[in-house]
Amino acid sequence: MADPIRIWVAAQHHKAFLNGGWAYVRVGAEVTGWAGGDRRTTRTRMALSSLAAALADLPKGAALRIETAAEDAKLLDGVFVEPADPPTDDLDLRAAIAGLLKGHEARLAVMSVQPRTPLAFTIAWADQAADKAKMTGAFRVAIPRPNLAKSGAAAT
């Protein structure tokens, strides 16, 4: 079996202002990444948005290793394991993710956040995205290739 595609996902949310951001970095045939954010949102919606964006254009049948920090893993766990109490929020994103995961062997891994790692890089982009969303509203942007080259993702 080929090495799995590695994906780092992160979400940020400011409780007082209700703005949030998300980001992902993915290593497959190449290193790619996107970030986005919105106003009047939740951390759960940002975590789900990150995962949905990361899964959007994957080759069919690819094995996936999705890595995230503990706080986001708690929010995403219900996507991978049937929860005892079915969620009632963000059903649109949950349905989209379920469809995108079909045909993939996906594993969610909880990672500790260490400096100068792809996860730390992804979290920093999610934080910047939350700040931008506070000022400009909803957006989505590709993380520039020169920045991705500094993420450390290609070396993993």
Side-chain angles (χ1 to χ4, degrees):
M1 174 187 248
D3 287 338
I5 294 173
R6 292 185 72 184
I7 302 170
W8 293 269
V9 295
Q12 294 292 333
H13 184 256
H14 194 288
K15 291 179 184 178
F17 297 110
L18 302 180
N19 60 292
W22 59 265
Y24 79 83
V25 173
R26 184 175 68 204
V27 177
E30 62 181 348
V31 180
T32 60
W34 284 78
D38 205 352
R39 292 180 179 155
R40 293 183 179 79
T41 190
T42 65
R43 186 174 185 115
T44 301
R45 185 148 187 94
M46 293 295 92
L48 292 168
S49 295
S50 177
L51 183 57
L55 299 173
D57 58 353
L58 291 172
K60 296 288 182 201
L64 309 173
R65 178 178 166 89
I66 301 159
E67 301 179 14
T68 192
E71 187 173 359
D72 291 332
K74 288 177 190 173
L75 302 174
L76 296 174
D77 191 45
V79 171
F80 296 92
V81 177
E82 189 68 34
D85 295 323
T88 58
D89 61 336
D90 303 310
L91 297 178
D92 58 332
L93 280 172
R94 293 177 192 280
I97 290 168
L100 292 166
L101 283 172
K102 280 188 181 169
H104 294 283
E105 180 184 325
R107 185 171 150 226
L108 181 65
V110 178
M111 307 300 291
S112 64
V113 182
Q114 301 295 322
R116 293 183 291 283
T117 62
L119 182 56
F121 175 88
T122 307
I123 290 169
W125 270 89
D127 192 44
Q128 285 183 332
D131 286 345
K132 180 175 178 166
K134 179 180 169 187
M135 301 301 288
T136 64
F139 78 98
R140 177 184 161 119
V141 64
I143 298 173
R145 290 192 188 276
N147 293 69
L148 287 168
K150 297 174 186 173
S151 71
T156 59

